Amino acid sequence: MKNRFKGKFRQIKKPDKERSSVRKDNSKRTAFFVWLLIIGMLFIATVSILLSINTRSTLNESNQSIEARENEEVKEEIPHASANEFLSSFVREYINVPNESAALDERAKNIKEYMVFNEAFNDDRNPLYNLDGVSGTRTLETFNLFNIEDKGDVSLYQYKVTFKNQVEREVEKEVKKGKKKEVEIETETEEKENTLLLNIPIIYENGLFSVSAIPYFTKVPSLAGNIEYEKETIGLDEYNGNEKENIAVFMNTFFEKYSTESIEEMAYLMEEPQTLNGSFLFEEISDLMVYIDGGNYKVSLEVIFRDELTNIQQVNQVEMTISKNGNNFYVEEFNYI
């Protein structure tokens, strides 16, 4: 019975499940992923462009920086001490002009050694070397470096020079000999001194110098100016107490020692010892003003020294900060103003 039931059960087949002919709509999902992909690609492209622009800008800045450094390296900084040494010899050769043919030829040869190497200055006919019609001499008296101007590739060195021009002339003079007068030829020397600014343009390369153009003279400019200036006032309360007289006594004692004593002795009276060590004699102080400066005193005064030999006086204004310990004063700060 049981076996018969099993047999019937095996004979019953489970019907196949029919698949639905209606498919699920995935278009929205597909469109979403497509747009997401497009947006992502646009984002990556934008970021790439920005990074490219930034990289190019950085690269350009780096290249400009490198070029600037290279340009700086190309233009060597002129060592002024060496340039002055070079030009000191040139100034002597240039200013000194003899009145003798062989000496003029030697001068021209020497000056040529200082000039740049080009067609103009290699030509012996250059006016720099030929001084036609010379009838006197020019002699250098003094010179000193006045100013330096940077003009790009060329540096202009200006020297204040004083030179003397001399011309010898033959003149006829009547000379009395006994009762007769005779005419004799005498030589007279006419002199004229000039002080001018000698302007010398030079170039510099690999530790060497050359004069790049013919030097020229200009008037020496004045360096004095009407510059308004008021000394800063001491913003402290003035002191007129009992110690003012004691401070005045100390000031006289201090400057007596300051003018004559050694540094070692002055160390007992001041924080940073100074001394004139006998160069001047102390004469007097004047215009003494005392102010309260915290726990110390600020002192402003005029001190007069005098040279013992010539009696020439030296007047200076001084500001000092002094402290007091017991009955003793001590100079904490000392300044000429």
Side-chain angles (χ1 to χ4, degrees), residues 107-145:
R107 173 184 180 273
K109 179 182 175 182
N110 292 339
I111 288 178
K112 191 175 182 180
E113 296 296 322
Y114 291 92
M115 306 307 296
V116 291
F117 190 83
N118 60 26
E119 185 177 352
F121 290 113
N122 289 344
D123 189 350
D124 292 335
R125 293 169 299 178
N126 191 297
L128 176 64
Y129 312 130
N130 291 285
L131 299 178
D132 295 330
V134 171
S135 59
T137 62
R138 185 171 70 190
T139 307
L140 179 66
E141 298 288 309
T142 62
F143 73 98
N144 60 275
L145 182 61

Side-chain angles (χ1 to χ4, degrees), residues 2 8 13 26 28 31 66 73 76 93 95 113 123 149 161 184 205 211-212 220 222-223 226 239:
K2 198 171 185 179
K8 289 182 178 181
K13 293 183 178 179
N26 294 322
K28 290 183 178 181
I66 291 171
E73 290 173 0
E76 297 180 79
E93 290 287 354
I95 294 295
E113 296 296 322
D123 189 350
E149 292 183 10
V161 296
E184 292 186 354
E205 186 178 291
V211 178
S212 62
V220 180
S222 173
L223 299 180
N226 296 320
Y239 174 75

Side-chain angles (χ1 to χ4, degrees), residues 6 26 53 57 69 77 91 181 192 219 236 281 315 335:
K6 286 182 179 179
N26 294 322
I53 293 172
S57 176
R69 284 198 298 270
E77 185 176 345
V91 168
K181 290 183 180 179
K192 183 181 179 182
K219 181 182 177 181
L236 299 171
L281 299 178
V315 182
N335 295 300

Side-chain angles (χ1 to χ4, degrees), residues 62-124:
S62 298
N63 289 336
Q64 290 174 359
S65 177
I66 291 171
E67 289 176 3
R69 284 198 298 270
E70 288 177 349
N71 290 335
E72 289 177 0
E73 290 173 0
V74 169
K75 185 184 177 183
E76 297 180 79
E77 185 176 345
I78 289 185
H80 296 307
S82 299
N84 185 48
E85 179 67 22
F86 165 77
L87 289 173
S88 294
S89 300
F90 175 78
V91 168
R92 294 185 181 94
E93 290 287 354
Y94 185 77
I95 294 295
N96 288 317
V97 177
N99 187 16
E100 198 274 321
S101 179
L104 284 172
D105 290 341
E106 183 67 21
R107 173 184 180 273
K109 179 182 175 182
N110 292 339
I111 288 178
K112 191 175 182 180
E113 296 296 322
Y114 291 92
M115 306 307 296
V116 291
F117 190 83
N118 60 26
E119 185 177 352
F121 290 113
N122 289 344
D123 189 350
D124 292 335

